[in-house]
Amino acid sequence: MNWLAKHLGNRKPVIAMAHLPALPGSPLHDAEGGMAAIIEHVSRDIEALQAGGVDCIMFGNEGDRPYLLEASPESLAAMTAAVEAVKESITVPFGVDYLWDPVATVAIAVATSAVFAREIFTGVYDSDMGLWQPDAARALRMRHDLGRDDLKLLFNVNAEFASPVGARSIESRAESAVFSSLADAVLVSGPMTGQPVDASELARVKDAVGETPVLANTGCTAENIAGILAVADGCIVGTHFKVGGDTWNPVDQDRVARFMEVVSRSRS
Protein backbone atom coordinates (compact mmCIF):
# COMPACT_ATOMS: atom_id res chain seq x y z
CA MET A 1 0.00 0.00 0.00
CA ASN A 2 1.59 3.30 -1.07
CA TRP A 3 0.85 6.52 0.80
CA LEU A 4 -1.90 7.41 -1.66
CA ALA A 5 -3.93 4.42 -0.55
CA LYS A 6 -3.22 5.07 3.12
CA HIS A 7 -3.94 8.81 3.16
CA LEU A 8 -6.28 9.34 0.20
CA GLY A 9 -8.32 6.17 0.39
CA ASN A 10 -7.37 4.51 -2.89
CA ARG A 11 -4.21 3.36 -4.60
CA LYS A 12 -5.28 5.41 -7.67
CA PRO A 13 -7.30 8.27 -6.18
CA VAL A 14 -9.51 10.75 -7.97
CA ILE A 15 -9.00 14.17 -6.36
CA ALA A 16 -11.87 16.50 -7.25
CA MET A 17 -11.53 20.26 -7.26
CA ALA A 18 -13.80 22.45 -5.15
CA HIS A 19 -13.19 25.75 -6.94
CA LEU A 20 -13.77 28.81 -4.79
CA PRO A 21 -15.35 31.86 -6.43
CA ALA A 22 -13.26 35.03 -6.41
CA LEU A 23 -12.17 35.90 -2.87
CA PRO A 24 -12.20 39.37 -1.27
CA GLY A 25 -9.63 41.61 -2.95
CA SER A 26 -9.87 39.86 -6.33
CA PRO A 27 -11.27 41.78 -9.33
CA LEU A 28 -14.16 39.35 -9.83
CA HIS A 29 -15.18 39.14 -6.17
CA ASP A 30 -18.91 39.49 -5.50
CA ALA A 31 -18.82 42.07 -2.73
CA GLU A 32 -22.60 42.04 -2.35
CA GLY A 33 -22.72 38.28 -1.84
CA GLY A 34 -19.58 38.31 0.28
CA MET A 35 -18.26 35.28 2.12
CA ALA A 36 -21.76 33.83 2.48
CA ALA A 37 -22.06 33.43 -1.30
CA ILE A 38 -18.62 31.81 -1.53
CA ILE A 39 -19.45 29.31 1.21
CA GLU A 40 -22.85 28.51 -0.29
CA HIS A 41 -21.31 27.90 -3.74
CA VAL A 42 -18.56 25.60 -2.53
CA SER A 43 -20.95 23.74 -0.21
CA ARG A 44 -23.17 22.80 -3.16
CA ASP A 45 -20.16 21.62 -5.15
CA ILE A 46 -18.89 19.49 -2.26
CA GLU A 47 -22.29 17.85 -1.90
CA ALA A 48 -22.37 16.96 -5.61
CA LEU A 49 -18.78 15.70 -5.66
CA GLN A 50 -19.27 13.44 -2.67
CA ALA A 51 -22.58 12.12 -3.97
CA GLY A 52 -20.81 11.32 -7.25
CA GLY A 53 -18.26 9.17 -5.42
CA VAL A 54 -14.92 10.99 -5.61
CA ASP A 55 -12.07 9.85 -3.36
CA CYS A 56 -10.80 13.25 -2.20
CA ILE A 57 -11.57 16.95 -2.49
CA MET A 58 -9.12 19.80 -3.00
CA PHE A 59 -9.98 23.46 -2.46
CA GLY A 60 -8.50 25.95 -4.92
CA ASN A 61 -8.95 29.71 -5.33
CA GLU A 62 -9.60 29.28 -9.04
CA GLY A 63 -11.74 32.40 -9.21
CA ASP A 64 -8.95 34.77 -8.16
CA ARG A 65 -7.98 35.85 -11.67
CA PRO A 66 -5.50 37.33 -12.41
CA TYR A 67 -3.55 35.11 -10.06
CA LEU A 68 -1.05 36.32 -7.48
CA LEU A 69 2.42 34.89 -6.99
CA GLU A 70 2.29 35.92 -3.32
CA ALA A 71 -0.94 35.66 -1.35
CA SER A 72 -2.63 38.81 -0.14
CA PRO A 73 -3.65 38.91 3.55
CA GLU A 74 -7.35 39.26 2.71
CA SER A 75 -7.45 36.33 0.27
CA LEU A 76 -5.38 34.13 2.57
CA ALA A 77 -7.76 34.81 5.45
CA ALA A 78 -10.85 34.35 3.26
CA MET A 79 -9.77 31.02 1.81
CA THR A 80 -8.93 29.68 5.25
CA ALA A 81 -12.30 30.84 6.57
CA ALA A 82 -14.18 29.25 3.66
CA VAL A 83 -12.49 25.88 4.13
CA GLU A 84 -13.14 25.98 7.86
CA ALA A 85 -16.79 26.82 7.26
CA VAL A 86 -17.47 23.76 5.09
CA LYS A 87 -15.01 21.10 6.19
CA GLU A 88 -17.38 19.49 8.70
CA SER A 89 -19.53 18.39 5.74
CA ILE A 90 -16.60 16.61 4.07
CA THR A 91 -16.52 12.84 4.48
CA VAL A 92 -13.40 12.19 2.36
CA PRO A 93 -9.79 13.41 2.75
CA PHE A 94 -9.25 16.99 1.60
CA GLY A 95 -6.40 19.20 0.50
CA VAL A 96 -5.78 22.82 -0.50
CA ASP A 97 -4.03 24.85 -3.18
CA TYR A 98 -3.57 28.63 -3.16
CA LEU A 99 -2.74 29.72 -6.71
CA TRP A 100 0.20 30.39 -7.03
CA ASP A 101 1.88 30.59 -3.64
CA PRO A 102 3.34 27.41 -2.07
CA VAL A 103 4.04 29.05 1.29
CA ALA A 104 0.44 30.31 1.57
CA THR A 105 -0.76 26.86 0.50
CA VAL A 106 1.11 25.16 3.34
CA ALA A 107 -0.13 27.80 5.79
CA ILE A 108 -3.78 27.18 4.83
CA ALA A 109 -3.27 23.41 4.93
CA VAL A 110 -1.88 23.57 8.45
CA ALA A 111 -4.60 25.96 9.67
CA THR A 112 -7.39 23.77 8.29
CA SER A 113 -5.85 20.36 9.12
CA ALA A 114 -5.74 19.34 5.46
CA VAL A 115 -4.26 15.98 4.51
CA PHE A 116 -2.42 17.21 1.41
CA ALA A 117 -1.51 20.34 -0.53
CA ARG A 118 -0.72 21.03 -4.19
CA GLU A 119 1.34 23.78 -5.78
CA ILE A 120 4.26 24.76 -7.97
CA PHE A 121 7.08 24.40 -5.44
CA THR A 122 10.19 24.31 -7.65
CA GLY A 123 11.65 25.90 -10.77
CA VAL A 124 11.57 29.32 -12.42
CA TYR A 125 8.90 30.18 -14.99
CA ASP A 126 8.08 32.74 -17.64
CA SER A 127 4.38 33.08 -16.85
CA ASP A 128 1.27 35.16 -17.51
CA MET A 129 1.79 36.51 -13.99
CA GLY A 130 5.40 37.56 -14.64
CA LEU A 131 8.66 35.89 -13.68
CA TRP A 132 7.69 33.15 -11.26
CA GLN A 133 10.14 31.77 -8.71
CA PRO A 134 8.48 29.67 -5.97
CA ASP A 135 10.24 28.91 -2.69
CA ALA A 136 10.15 25.20 -1.89
CA ALA A 137 12.67 25.54 0.93
CA ARG A 138 10.53 28.04 2.82
CA ALA A 139 7.36 26.01 2.31
CA LEU A 140 8.88 22.75 3.54
CA ARG A 141 10.54 24.42 6.49
CA MET A 142 7.17 25.88 7.46
CA ARG A 143 5.59 22.43 7.24
CA HIS A 144 8.24 21.05 9.59
CA ASP A 145 8.29 24.00 12.00
CA LEU A 146 4.50 23.84 12.38
CA GLY A 147 4.60 20.14 13.21
CA ARG A 148 2.96 18.87 10.01
CA ASP A 149 5.56 16.58 8.48
CA ASP A 150 2.60 14.29 7.75
CA LEU A 151 1.14 16.87 5.31
CA LYS A 152 1.67 15.41 1.84
CA LEU A 153 2.92 17.87 -0.77
CA LEU A 154 2.01 17.39 -4.43
CA PHE A 155 4.52 19.10 -6.73
CA ASN A 156 3.29 20.31 -10.12
CA VAL A 157 6.41 20.29 -12.32
CA ASN A 158 5.06 21.89 -15.50
CA ALA A 159 3.07 24.94 -14.57
CA GLU A 160 -0.13 25.98 -16.31
CA PHE A 161 -0.05 29.44 -17.94
CA ALA A 162 3.76 29.31 -17.94
CA SER A 163 6.93 27.93 -19.51
CA PRO A 164 9.99 26.86 -17.53
CA VAL A 165 13.13 28.93 -17.80
CA GLY A 166 15.99 26.68 -18.87
CA ALA A 167 16.38 23.58 -21.02
CA ARG A 168 15.96 20.71 -18.55
CA SER A 169 13.46 18.06 -19.59
CA ILE A 170 10.28 17.56 -17.59
CA GLU A 171 11.54 14.20 -16.34
CA SER A 172 14.77 15.82 -15.12
CA ARG A 173 12.79 18.50 -13.27
CA ALA A 174 10.56 15.84 -11.73
CA GLU A 175 13.48 13.69 -10.61
CA SER A 176 15.16 16.74 -9.11
CA ALA A 177 11.97 17.78 -7.27
CA VAL A 178 11.92 14.40 -5.56
CA PHE A 179 15.64 14.29 -4.82
CA SER A 180 16.34 17.87 -3.73
CA SER A 181 12.95 19.20 -2.64
CA LEU A 182 11.36 16.08 -1.09
CA ALA A 183 8.23 15.95 -3.25
CA ASP A 184 5.71 13.43 -1.93
CA ALA A 185 4.08 13.19 -5.36
CA VAL A 186 4.66 14.69 -8.79
CA LEU A 187 1.94 16.16 -11.00
CA VAL A 188 1.98 16.51 -14.77
CA SER A 189 -0.23 19.20 -16.34
CA GLY A 190 -1.44 20.32 -19.71
CA PRO A 191 -0.74 23.90 -20.84
CA MET A 192 -3.91 25.34 -19.24
CA THR A 193 -6.72 24.43 -16.87
CA GLY A 194 -8.89 21.71 -18.42
CA GLN A 195 -6.41 20.77 -21.15
CA PRO A 196 -5.04 17.20 -21.16
CA VAL A 197 -1.55 16.15 -20.20
CA ASP A 198 0.93 15.00 -22.83
CA ALA A 199 0.87 11.18 -22.60
CA SER A 200 4.57 10.89 -23.43
CA GLU A 201 5.50 13.39 -20.71
CA LEU A 202 3.40 11.49 -18.18
CA ALA A 203 5.15 8.23 -19.06
CA ARG A 204 8.64 9.76 -18.95
CA VAL A 205 8.02 11.35 -15.55
CA LYS A 206 6.67 8.07 -14.20
CA ASP A 207 9.79 6.25 -15.35
CA ALA A 208 12.06 8.94 -13.86
CA VAL A 209 10.78 9.17 -10.29
CA GLY A 210 10.66 5.52 -9.26
CA GLU A 211 8.31 4.83 -6.36
CA THR A 212 7.12 8.44 -6.03
CA PRO A 213 3.47 8.69 -7.14
CA VAL A 214 2.73 10.55 -10.38
CA LEU A 215 -0.70 12.06 -11.00
CA ALA A 216 -2.31 13.66 -14.04
CA ASN A 217 -3.18 17.22 -13.02
CA THR A 218 -5.41 18.56 -15.82
CA GLY A 219 -7.65 17.55 -18.69
CA CYS A 220 -8.93 14.21 -17.40
CA THR A 221 -12.28 13.18 -18.88
CA ALA A 222 -14.49 10.11 -18.91
CA GLU A 223 -13.19 9.45 -22.42
CA ASN A 224 -9.46 9.49 -21.64
CA ILE A 225 -9.19 8.51 -17.97
CA ALA A 226 -8.79 4.77 -18.55
CA GLY A 227 -5.68 5.39 -20.64
CA ILE A 228 -4.34 7.93 -18.15
CA LEU A 229 -4.76 5.59 -15.17
CA ALA A 230 -2.94 2.86 -17.07
CA VAL A 231 0.16 5.01 -16.50
CA ALA A 232 -0.57 7.49 -13.71
CA ASP A 233 -1.12 6.79 -10.02
CA GLY A 234 -4.21 8.98 -9.86
CA CYS A 235 -5.66 12.20 -11.17
CA ILE A 236 -7.00 15.62 -10.27
CA VAL A 237 -10.25 16.67 -11.93
CA GLY A 238 -11.95 20.05 -11.99
CA THR A 239 -13.31 21.25 -15.32
CA HIS A 240 -14.74 17.91 -16.49
CA PHE A 241 -16.97 17.70 -13.42
CA LYS A 242 -18.67 21.03 -14.16
CA VAL A 243 -21.96 21.57 -15.97
CA GLY A 244 -21.17 21.43 -19.70
CA GLY A 245 -17.48 20.89 -18.95
CA ASP A 246 -17.07 24.63 -18.27
CA THR A 247 -14.58 25.48 -15.51
CA TRP A 248 -16.74 28.30 -14.13
CA ASN A 249 -20.00 26.35 -13.84
CA PRO A 250 -21.24 24.43 -10.78
CA VAL A 251 -20.41 20.75 -10.36
CA ASP A 252 -22.67 18.34 -12.27
CA GLN A 253 -23.25 15.29 -10.06
CA ASP A 254 -24.21 13.09 -13.02
CA ARG A 255 -20.93 13.88 -14.82
CA VAL A 256 -19.04 13.00 -11.64
CA ALA A 257 -20.87 9.69 -11.27
CA ARG A 258 -20.28 8.71 -14.92
CA PHE A 259 -16.58 9.52 -14.60
CA MET A 260 -16.27 7.49 -11.40
CA GLU A 261 -17.98 4.52 -13.06
CA VAL A 262 -15.27 4.51 -15.74
CA VAL A 263 -12.59 4.85 -13.07
CA SER A 264 -14.03 1.95 -11.11
CA ARG A 265 -13.85 -0.29 -14.17
CA SER A 266 -10.30 0.86 -14.90
CA ARG A 267 -9.13 0.13 -11.36
CA SER A 268 -10.50 -3.39 -11.47
Side-chain angles (χ1 to χ4, degrees):
M1 179 182 292
N2 63 27
W3 75 256
L4 294 176
K6 180 179 179 180
H7 292 276
L8 303 188
N10 197 285
R11 64 184 181 85
K12 290 206 172 190
V14 173
I15 302 172
M17 293 303 305
H19 289 150
L20 297 170
L23 300 172
S26 297
L28 299 177
H29 174 60
D30 174 13
E32 183 176 351
M35 287 299 299
I38 292 171
I39 292 167
E40 180 181 359
H41 175 98
V42 76
S43 293
R44 290 195 303 267
D45 278 359
I46 287 169
E47 182 179 358
L49 290 169
Q50 292 188 147
V54 301
D55 300 302
C56 312
I57 288 172
M58 179 160 60
F59 295 93
N61 59 325
E62 204 77 19
D64 280 348
R65 297 172 289 165
Y67 302 115
L68 296 170
L69 298 180
E70 183 175 349
S72 67
E74 61 271 27
S75 61
L76 185 59
M79 184 166 173
T80 304
V83 175
E84 280 292 315
V86 302
K87 75 176 189 179
E88 292 304 318
S89 67
I90 301 177
T91 59
V92 296
F94 77 88
V96 300
D97 180 11
Y98 185 102
L99 303 169
W100 293 96
D101 185 338
V103 176
T105 295
V106 170
I108 296 170
V110 171
T112 60
S113 301
V115 174
F116 62 96
R118 174 191 71 174
E119 242 315 302
I120 298 290
F121 286 92
T122 55
V124 179
Y125 299 87
D126 166 17
S127 80
D128 291 351
M129 295 77 69
L131 189 62
W132 180 0
Q133 186 173 345
D135 192 342
R138 185 180 169 203
L140 271 77
R141 280 163 173 77
M142 173 183 285
R143 178 179 68 166
H144 179 71
D145 291 345
L146 295 178
R148 283 299 313 274
D149 287 336
D150 62 314
L151 174 67
K152 298 300 184 181
L153 300 182
L154 283 55
F155 282 48
N156 189 359
V157 294
N158 59 328
E160 301 149 64
F161 317 109
S163 298
V165 174
R168 288 190 302 164
S169 67
I170 187 172
E171 58 268 32
S172 294
R173 300 198 307 273
E175 189 174 17
S176 181
V178 173
F179 180 85
S180 68
S181 298
L182 310 179
D184 293 306
V186 171
L187 309 180
V188 180
S189 301
M192 286 185 63
T193 300
Q195 296 187 7
V197 302
D198 183 306
S200 66
E201 289 186 344
L202 189 66
R204 297 200 311 271
V205 169
K206 181 65 179 168
D207 287 342
V209 299
E211 295 300 313
T212 302
V214 175
L215 285 75
N217 192 49
T218 64
C220 296
T221 68
E223 292 70 35
N224 68 16
I225 190 58
I228 288 171
L229 290 182
V231 179
D233 298 300
C235 63
I236 298 172
V237 187
T239 295
H240 183 69
F241 286 163
K242 303 299 185 70
V243 172
D246 185 324
T247 303
W248 312 113
N249 282 341
V251 169
D252 181 336
Q253 182 180 323
D254 290 339
R255 287 177 71 96
V256 179
R258 288 194 298 271
F259 181 93
M260 293 307 299
E261 287 175 5
V262 177
V263 168
S264 180
R265 293 195 297 270
S266 299
R267 287 168 173 166
S268 60

